[in-house]
Every structure is written in structure tokens, then in C-alpha cells.
Amino acid sequence: MTADLTRTRERMPHATAIPPSCVHGVYRAVNDWQRRTGRDVVRLDIGEPHFKPPAVVVEALAAAARDGRTTYTPAEGLPVFRERLADKLTHVNGHDTGPERVFVTPGASQGLSAVMQSVTDPGDEILLPGLHWPIHLQQSLLAGLRPRCYPLDRTFRPDLDALAAMACERTRVLLVNTPNNPTGAVYEAGVLAGLLELARRNDWLVISDEAYEDFVYEGTHVSLAALERDLPPAERRVFTVFSYSKSFAMTGYRLGYVAAPNRAYAATLQVVQEASILSSPTPMQHAGLAALEQGMPAVAQHHDLVRSAWNGLSPLADLGLLSCYPEGGWFALLDIGGLGMDADTFAAALLEREAVAVAPARGFALRPEWDETGRITGMGADPVTRHGLRIAFCGEPNGVRDAVLRIADFARSLDFPVGLP
């Protein structure tokens, strides 16, 4: 019997070594706490906006279902939708593209995963930001890749010199995320040009996650693929992934899209989509088309609402808990290293005392450990995140401001006033 169990362990699927997402873990834990205590919670742990999709989106979805527009579409998406997306990419994002290189996906997450599968082989390396969205790590591991994390500077931008030194024969993909989750950093054109130059020099492909493109408060969002629009398509290397969840508040609709750099990469991505999704849900695609054609004014309104909440983060900056004020996105990182308490303990105590939910940052900086055969043997984390917390400020502005004041009051109440006035 022991031998049989040993053989079973040796055959454990690769997915069993993939860590669960810290975001989902905190979300479930807070839900359980609410059920157990019956208390209301201010949710700063997840990026769920308080605003809703434009009315035209809801009506388009209902009309598509009511009118029977529910049949299969091509794996790459409704042709009219892809044409409209290509037009947006050209005139808003500065891409040089066409509908044949645009893919509709059931959420940006699926698009990211599909791109990884379409351009890599198991064992290839992917370079992730030192602080990254946990799903990026999960997707990399699920595709059989070996993620390595590149260092960030004090403003949470890539350290280009350190990144250049990481190049090796197995490195295949560089993942870039701006505006960034969880740091809120927005990469300037010069930083992006440096990243693209490194990718060209080392023959890396690039995946640019631009889910928060419409939420920049300092600076300007530059779409990375726009920097290679003057190159012949065969020489381009940037895949760009976009989301409807943020700009249009369509989180539960699960709708996104991918722009491939050229026809050759698009052909492979098409096969991956045929094999993995068959097609994206048709009514959702009609809703997405309506959003582009009639719902754009709502995007500016959503930006202004989140910016209003962003303005309310100042009490945390005044206390020295924000090492870098976020320049974009929906999230900020707190550093509580001067409070004599680790992030997990702080988050648990804050929930109990103030009914404010935040996410410890350890899960945004995981580091897989490998044996000589390439199997994952452990999961470490950047030790700097021991005192880091991520907060979401996409909620109702007054509610976010109130929660920020509760966090500040709680920090002041601790008997360890290092760094606090």
C-alpha cells in the first residue's frame, strides 16, 4: 500500500503545485467573516467597482438574448465587433492593426492565458514584475512556464539594468503591466521604450496587460504596441490584452480582447482559442459592441469617480504609509513596516476592529522554488512584502475616504508609533 501511495504522489498533476490566488483567498475569508459576524464590511480587498455598466450595455445584452442572437461565433469573435475593436486600437491606442489580428476573449484573464500557451513551450521562462497580479503567476505555471521576477525601483518601475542581466537562453516572454496592479505605477514612454529594446535585443516576446488603460491620474497611458507601429508586422513582438471589466464596469460579464502583433502569431492564437473556448459568449459580444459604439461617455465618468476616491488616500500618505502615491489603476500599496506589526496581523486586526478589509501583499510577490527536474518544490515570497498591504480604491468615493480614515485611526492607535506623527 505504501508503494502505491508513493507512486500516486509521484504522479500528482502539475496543477497541484500552483498556489491559490491570495486575492481569492482574502475574498473568501472576508465573506466567511461577514457571515459569521453579521457585520457590514468596507471592501478594499478586491477591485470591484461601485459603479455599474452603461445602460446601453445592459439593453444590448438583453436584446441579443431576446432576439435569439445566441449562436456560435468564430473563435476569434464576431466580425463586426473585431472591426470596431481594431478601429479603437488604431485611433485611441495608436496601434497599427486590423480586425484579423484582434481576438475577443471571455475576460482578459483568458486572453492572457491563451497568449502564453500560443507562444511558449513548457520549460520556457517568463519574466514577471517583482510585484505582480497573482493570476499572472498562476497562468504562467499552468502553461508549464518557469516565472522569474524582475526587480522594481523605488517607484515600482522596472529596473532596466537588472532586467537586462536576467536574460538567458530559456527566456521567452516579458510580461508588462501598466497601469500596474498592485502598485499603481504608470510606466512612461521612455521606460516602455527601454523594455521594448531589451525584448528586441534578447528576442523576447512581450505581453502587455493594459486592463487599467483608462485610469491614469498622473501622466499618460502609453500602449506599448504603439511604439512598434512603424516596424514591419513581421518584426513586431507585442501582444496587448485589454479588459471590459474596468473601463465599463463589466466585471461579471467576462469580456476582454487581445491584439496580436502580426498574422503569423494571430494564426497560432486562433488555434488555441478554437481548442480552449470554441467561441466567446455571443450576447456578451453584442454588449461589448454597444459599449464601444454608445457607452464611451461612461468611461470618463468612471475615471472621474475613481479619481475622486484616489484623492481621498492622502491621510495614508500623510502618515507615511504610502511609499508611492499610485499614479493609475485601482490599487495602492501600503507599507506598515514602522508599525511593529506584520501585514497579516494588521489586516486581521483591522477587520475585527474597523470592519475594513485589505489584502496582505505577500501573495503579490511569490517566488516559486524548483528542483533539478523543473518541478516546483516550494513557494517563497519577497520578504519586503511582509509589511505590505494592497488596498482597492475603486469603491464609492465617500466610502473609500471613510475607510482610509479608519485605517489611519487604527494605525495611530498602535503602541508602536515609528514613522507616525
Side-chain angles (χ1 to χ4, degrees), residues 151-387:
L152 307 176
D153 65 20
R154 294 178 63 86
T155 65
F156 299 129
R157 287 162 175 76
D159 182 328
L160 296 180
D161 291 335
L163 178 56
M166 295 179 68
C168 72
E169 186 177 344
R170 289 186 308 200
T171 310
R172 178 63 173 160
V173 176
L174 170 68
L175 189 139
V176 178
N177 176 208
T178 177
N180 185 266
N181 175 8
T183 70
V186 174
Y187 303 169
E188 300 90 344
V191 173
L192 294 173
L195 292 170
L196 193 53
E197 174 57 30
L198 280 176
R200 289 191 188 124
R201 189 190 314 163
N202 294 286
D203 196 26
W204 300 335
L205 294 172
V206 181
I207 300 175
S208 183
D209 181 348
E210 301 179 18
Y212 296 93
E213 60 170 329
D214 291 308
F215 296 90
V216 175
Y217 321 111
E218 293 182 351
T220 303
H221 174 64
V222 177
S223 188
L224 185 52
L227 301 185
E228 60 175 11
R229 64 173 295 154
D230 294 330
L231 292 176
E235 297 180 19
R236 299 175 191 171
R237 59 187 63 247
V238 179
F239 287 83
T240 318
V241 183
F242 297 91
S243 174
Y244 268 74
S245 294
K246 320 307 177 190
S247 301
F248 294 102
M250 294 168 62
T251 54
Y253 285 63
R254 308 314 306 137
L255 187 64
Y257 54 104
V258 174
N262 55 48
R263 287 179 179 268
Y265 285 125
T268 305
L269 182 55
Q270 178 177 316
V271 173
V272 172
Q273 292 301 76
E274 290 171 354
S276 55
I277 65 167
L278 191 62
S279 67
S280 293
T282 305
M284 301 304 179
Q285 295 189 60
H286 286 288
L289 179 60
L292 279 182
E293 293 182 337
Q294 305 172 59
M296 292 305 293
V299 175
Q301 295 168 8
H302 296 166
H303 170 277
D304 290 346
L305 285 168
V306 181
R307 186 186 182 100
S308 177
W310 173 80
N311 286 327
L313 300 178
S314 56
L316 299 177
D318 294 342
L319 287 178
L321 300 181
L322 271 179
S323 57
C324 286
Y325 214 97
E327 298 151 324
W330 287 2
F331 304 101
L333 276 183
L334 304 187
D335 181 355
I336 61 165
L339 299 181
M341 187 178 290
D342 65 78
D344 290 292
T345 303
F346 185 97
L350 180 69
L351 183 63
E352 287 291 340
R353 176 170 151 178
E354 300 290 346
V356 175
V358 297
R362 181 182 187 277
F364 299 91
L366 294 182
R367 305 288 191 269
E369 299 163 358
W370 315 84
D371 64 18
E372 63 279 1
T373 70
R375 291 186 64 85
I376 300 172
T377 59
M379 196 64 62
D382 187 333
V384 74
T385 58
R386 183 171 181 267
H387 298 109

Side-chain angles (χ1 to χ4, degrees), residues 9 21 53 84-85 93-94 106 125 129 132 137 152 159 169 181 188 192 195 226 233 337 349 406 410-411:
R9 284 196 294 271
S21 163
R84 186 64 185 84
L85 288 169
N93 299 108
E125 283 189 353
H132 51 264
L137 179 74
L152 307 176
D159 182 328
E169 186 177 344
N181 175 8
E188 300 90 344
L192 294 173
L195 292 170
R406 292 194 213 177
F410 177 66

